[in-house]
Every structure is written in C-alpha cells, then in structure tokens.
Amino acid sequence: VGPVLAAAVVEEARSRLGDEPLDQLEEKAILTAMVEQVIGRRLQVRPELPRLGGPTRVMALVGPTGVGKTTSVAKLASVAALVERRNVALVTMDTYRVGGVEQLRRFAALIGVPFSVASDGQALRTALQEHADADLVIIDTAGRSPKQPGALDALAGAFARAGEPVQVHLVVAAAARLRELQATLRHYEGLQPECLLFTKTDEAWGGGAVLEACVQSHLPVSFVCNGQRVPEDISPASTSWLAAFVLGQEEN
C-alpha cells in the first residue's frame, strides 16, 4: 500500500480506537479488525450480473492481454447458465488472438448456450438482435496494450453502435504492480468501465496495489477470480474479503 493511503488508514484506525490501552492478547486481533474495517470503508463492490429489466442485460469484459478475460467469461457464463439457470448468450469480439474464437465457441457448445462472433459495431448490433431472447449476454474482447495509443477507439465505437447499453467490466490481474494497474486504468478510461474484475488473486503476493487501484479509480469491484477452474474459481466481490486480501488474511 502506498505511503499516503497507508498513513490515512492507520490514522483513521487510531482515531477510532480511542485512548484505552490494550493488552498484548487483545492488541493484534483488535488492531487487525479495526484496520480491516477502515480498508473496507474505502472499497466499493457491485457483486451481481446484469439482469433483464435492469439498466442493461449486456456486459463486456475488457482489459490487457493475458489477464484472463476469456476464462472469466467462461466462469461467469457457467454460473449464470448452469447454477442460476439463466438464458445466456456469448459473443466474442476477439478476432485477433489465434484460437480465441474457437476457444469460446467450444465452451459455449459445452454448456449449451448460443454463440456469435462480432468484428465491429454493426456485427455486434446484429448479434445482440439475434440473442434478443437472452436475459444475459457476455461479450469477450481482444486484449489491448496500454502502450498502443488509440487502440481502443474501435472498441468504444462498436459499443456505441451496439443498439443497447453495454456494461463494461475492466479485468485486471491482482498480481500486477501498481504502476501497471494505474496505466491500465488510464488506458481504459475512454470505455467508461463501471466495475473492476480482479483475476489471479491466488498469484498475488499482496493486495496493496488492488486497494490503491480501487481507491484511485472510484470503481466498485464486481467479481474476483482465484484460479483456473471453471466455474469454481470465481466469487462475487465483498468488502470483507477484499480487506482481508489486502491484509494477507483472505481464504480462497
């Protein structure tokens, strides 16, 4: 955790504890609980999938290459279709990565949900019209490097021409360094993400960068992924889990 935010957390925890002395047996547990509460107050969560009748039924996962977007799409679709018994459709706009289309096509066939490929805004509009009976459409997208200026303009234009609102979730790896997370947040601002989705929490040595990213972006966290298993290794975000993750006390 950066020094400014760390100092703010410590000072708030100290002010809330008051002046009553603590014995050694109580000290660690009480301090830990208080710091966890203070961290939790700085985090927002929105642990739910879009639903028919809400602001939108369409969600898109965007983010850099290699963060696990396609696997996260598979996990979310599995939970929605197989656990919640919802009418789900999948769309991929990842026509750049070798094998990307076939990977998601095979998965859609495995769980028995319709699948479409959309290379631009008009194709995306057509795909959404074809899946008009679905109450949840999940869109996979190609990864884009923060070092590619303007690379997201076409994707933003495609979402604008989709014909209905698209809820954008920015997928980022919890194991990334803070500098990388900050660059990703800046790079994807133009897509106006509504939520953060953290992957690879099982590979992260600490949660400080995650806390900094949440505080700096003012975005809620929707889901967290802690492994490769589909659909087991995904969970709705909670402030208590995220705070424990920052403190290194989470349980996967």
Side-chain angles (χ1 to χ4, degrees):
V1 180
V4 175
L5 181 56
V9 169
V10 169
E11 287 304 315
E12 183 179 345
R14 178 181 293 158
S15 66
R16 295 178 64 188
L17 280 169
D19 298 326
E20 184 176 342
L22 303 174
D23 64 42
Q24 290 185 342
L25 294 177
E26 296 176 321
E27 187 175 68
K28 183 176 180 180
I30 292 176
L31 286 174
T32 299
M34 183 60 66
V35 172
E36 185 173 318
Q37 290 177 25
V38 172
I39 291 173
R41 286 159 55 89
R42 285 169 163 76
L43 298 166
Q44 305 174 62
V45 295
R46 191 190 295 176
E48 56 191 28
L49 294 168
R51 290 191 175 274
L52 195 63
T56 179
R57 68 185 181 110
V58 182
M59 67 182 298
L61 269 56
V62 305
T65 57
V67 295
K69 292 185 297 298
T70 302
T71 303
S72 298
V73 167
K75 292 173 181 177
L76 292 169
S78 295
V79 171
L82 303 179
V83 179
E84 299 180 0
R85 299 296 180 182
R86 295 178 60 181
N87 191 355
V88 180
L90 297 181
V91 177
T92 185
M93 301 187 74
D94 185 4
T95 56
Y96 299 92
R97 182 168 54 95
V98 175
V101 171
E102 288 307 312
Q103 180 184 359
L104 200 58
R105 189 193 305 276
R106 288 196 298 270
F107 175 75
L110 182 65
I111 65 172
V113 302
F115 171 80
S116 296
V117 180
S119 57
D120 55 27
Q122 183 56 52
L124 178 58
R125 177 189 287 262
T126 300
L128 294 179
Q129 290 172 345
E130 291 174 350
H131 301 311
D133 60 337
D135 63 85
L136 175 63
V137 181
I138 307 177
I139 303 172
D140 190 19
T141 63
R144 290 290 186 270
S145 168
K147 296 184 179 180
Q148 294 176 294
L152 295 178
D153 291 348
L155 186 57
F159 290 163
R161 295 191 297 272
E164 58 181 293
V166 177
Q167 184 184 96
V168 177
H169 293 237
L170 176 54
V171 182
V172 287
R177 294 174 299 177
L178 177 58
R179 182 179 176 184
E180 295 168 347
L181 289 177
Q182 290 171 327
T184 298
L185 290 168
R186 289 194 301 269
H187 184 58
Y188 283 87
E189 278 179 346
L191 292 179
Q192 299 181 322
E194 296 185 30
C195 298
L196 297 174
L197 189 157
F198 282 102
T199 60
K200 304 185 180 184
T201 61
D202 56 315
E203 299 177 15
W205 288 99
V210 168
L211 177 61
E212 292 277 1
C214 292
V215 171
Q216 292 178 21
S217 69
H218 305 290
L219 292 175
V221 183
S222 55
F223 295 88
V224 293
C225 300
N226 57 4
Q228 294 296 313
R229 294 180 301 168
V230 178
E232 293 88 349
D233 292 336
I234 191 167
S235 302
S238 71
T239 54
S240 60
W241 189 93
L242 287 165
F245 176 64
V246 173
L247 294 173
Q249 299 173 342
E250 83 289 350
E251 294 182 6
N252 288 335

